[in-house]
Amino acid sequence: MRFVKLFVVFALLGLAFVGCSGSKQHKDASWTAKPSNLQVVFTAPVVVDSTKDNCPMFPWYFTNANVAGGARTTICEKDVLMLPGEMKKMSEWFLSNVDNTLKFNSSSHYKISEISKDLVSYSEKDVDGEKLRVPVLKSMSDSADVYMVLDSIRLKSKIRVKEGASTYMASVDMNVGSTINNNCVYISASYAFYDVKTAKPLDYGYLEESQCSDQMVIEHDWVNVLRDLILHMIDKTPVAQF
């Protein structure tokens, strides 16, 4: 269902919002050997439930024409928690869906488990001239050839209010417009792959994936975003079978 409300516009408030995920990846071209056994570990995901709301009570706006290319201008954004009931046990939900993604997209035999944050330390790596905080395991079992570490996992959601169609009403000398609610979900995480024998980092990075829709958020939206996150982590590595 599309959420559309009509408002009479009194003035242009000149609101502008700039966003950047800050995703960074280091892909080591020298890593070409497929691991026989992959151990995937992750620290507990955190749901970011802030109270950010920069939308006025009535998000009036003024527009003379649609943005080139059919895009709509964002008026304001507000954080809102949109987690379906299926996701209440977050660590179990996360493990299950990472497992399901790797099951169909990994070329290696793997195991996956949650670990304590206490087992992870951090190092700084330079990626494209920027410092990246990379998770490092304090110890690794030799039962696996390669470890995949997922850390600083954050889930958040927000409503992005965008301008809809606008009609000029000569009788009142005003533009009467509409708003469209885009419901957006985001998942971000730091990750690294390690060679168990040498403890060498084979691949690492920070990724944020998102999805926006004018439909009500359901669990499938979160599953899609998490799947994209994992696929982009293993992309261009020997772990991927695609």
Side-chain angles (χ1 to χ4, degrees), residues 59-242:
W60 296 320
Y61 65 96
F62 180 91
T63 179
N64 289 316
N66 293 337
V67 178
R72 299 293 186 181
T73 301
T74 298
I75 303 166
C76 59
E77 295 179 350
K78 54 186 176 181
D79 291 342
V80 58
L81 192 59
M82 294 183 283
L83 289 181
E86 297 93 327
M87 301 173 66
K88 293 300 182 184
K89 296 181 179 179
M90 180 53 66
S91 287
E92 292 180 17
W93 179 89
F94 187 87
L95 186 152
S96 174
N97 284 285
V98 171
D99 180 36
N100 196 50
T101 298
L102 292 175
K103 185 185 303 179
F104 296 102
N105 297 282
S106 171
S107 61
S108 301
H109 174 73
Y110 67 89
K111 292 182 180 179
I112 180 170
S113 60
E114 182 180 2
I115 60 171
S116 168
K117 193 82 170 176
D118 296 337
L119 299 178
V120 180
S121 60
Y122 301 93
S123 67
E124 275 196 351
K125 300 288 185 183
D126 185 89
V127 179
D128 298 330
E130 294 185 20
K131 295 297 183 183
L132 186 66
R133 187 170 178 257
V134 178
V136 181
L137 278 182
K138 294 179 180 178
S139 65
M140 293 182 286
S141 167
D142 59 8
S143 61
D145 300 319
V146 169
Y147 266 70
M148 178 183 183
V149 186
L150 288 79
D151 180 62
S152 301
I153 304 159
R154 301 285 185 270
L155 293 87
K156 63 180 180 179
S157 51
K158 67 174 61 174
I159 293 176
R160 181 179 294 154
V161 183
K162 309 191 87 174
E163 67 174 33
S166 176
T167 303
Y168 177 70
M169 296 183 65
S171 59
V172 292
D173 192 26
M174 290 181 181
N175 273 30
V176 177
S178 63
T179 59
I180 301 171
N181 284 0
N182 268 16
N183 302 304
C184 302
V185 297
Y186 303 80
I187 305 179
S188 61
S190 297
Y191 74 95
F193 291 88
Y194 290 95
D195 182 296
V196 172
K197 290 181 180 178
T198 64
K200 174 187 175 182
L202 302 169
D203 229 284
Y204 49 84
Y206 169 83
L207 286 174
E208 179 178 281
E209 299 291 339
S210 63
Q211 176 177 298
C212 295
S213 170
D214 59 7
Q215 306 297 311
M216 180 185 298
V217 170
I218 59 175
E219 187 201 5
H220 188 63
D221 299 319
W222 290 101
V223 171
N224 283 344
V225 175
L226 179 55
R227 179 178 180 275
D228 287 346
L229 188 81
I230 300 302
L231 291 181
H232 285 150
M233 288 179 182
I234 67 174
D235 180 32
K236 298 179 182 177
T237 75
V239 172
Q241 67 174 12
F242 52 87

